[in-house]
Amino acid sequence: MNKDLIGSFAWGVGIVVLALAATLARKLGYIDGDTVLRLVIGANGLMIAWYGNRMPKTFVPSARAREARRVAAWSLVLSGLVYAGLWAFAPIQAAVIGGCGAVLIGIAVTLGYCLSLRDKANAG
């Protein structure tokens, strides 16, 4: 089985197990509902950062594609960590707005860089 596929399955199973364990802990009275929400949604941010960290490790034959992949990886890692950090420490309303904003900014940075690379290639 592919190494990337195993990691993806591990993240999926891990988040489901985390959600089930947190729900059980809430039903037993150890944590409250906000903590369950923060744990599960924060894990999604860590998963985004993990995928960003994996991106530059895959082979791409084109030099421009490698440049774009490095920028995309950095923007995913940073936006995923901001997302997880906000869900860990900020009020929930701020975590929703700020976390989604961080991920959208990461996507915008990647798209903008890819478009600038395309413009450079078309000009040259």
Side-chain angles (χ1 to χ4, degrees):
M1 191 175 252
N2 189 349
K3 190 176 182 181
D4 290 330
L5 190 60
I6 292 172
S8 299
F9 279 131
W11 269 105
V13 170
I15 289 175
V16 169
V17 168
L18 175 67
L20 291 173
T23 302
L24 177 65
R26 183 183 56 83
K27 286 183 180 180
L28 294 174
Y30 294 124
I31 59 176
D32 62 349
D34 284 349
T35 305
V36 173
L37 180 70
R38 288 176 182 277
L39 284 172
V40 175
I41 302 297
N44 290 332
L46 294 176
M47 182 181 65
I48 292 169
W50 181 79
Y51 276 111
N53 188 42
R54 295 287 309 148
M55 281 181 74
K57 294 173 177 69
T58 57
F59 177 72
V60 179
S62 167
R64 295 228 189 250
R66 282 191 297 272
E67 288 179 44
R69 190 167 282 222
R70 279 192 299 272
V71 170
W74 271 106
S75 67
L76 271 179
V77 168
L78 293 175
S79 64
L81 290 176
V82 168
Y83 185 87
L86 285 170
W87 274 99
F89 301 111
I92 290 181
Q93 188 65 26
V96 169
I97 294 168
C100 291
V103 172
L104 288 174
I105 288 170
I107 291 170
V109 165
T110 302
L111 182 63
Y113 189 76
C114 290
L115 291 175
S116 74
L117 282 179
R118 187 183 71 174
D119 289 343
K120 286 179 189 176
N122 289 338

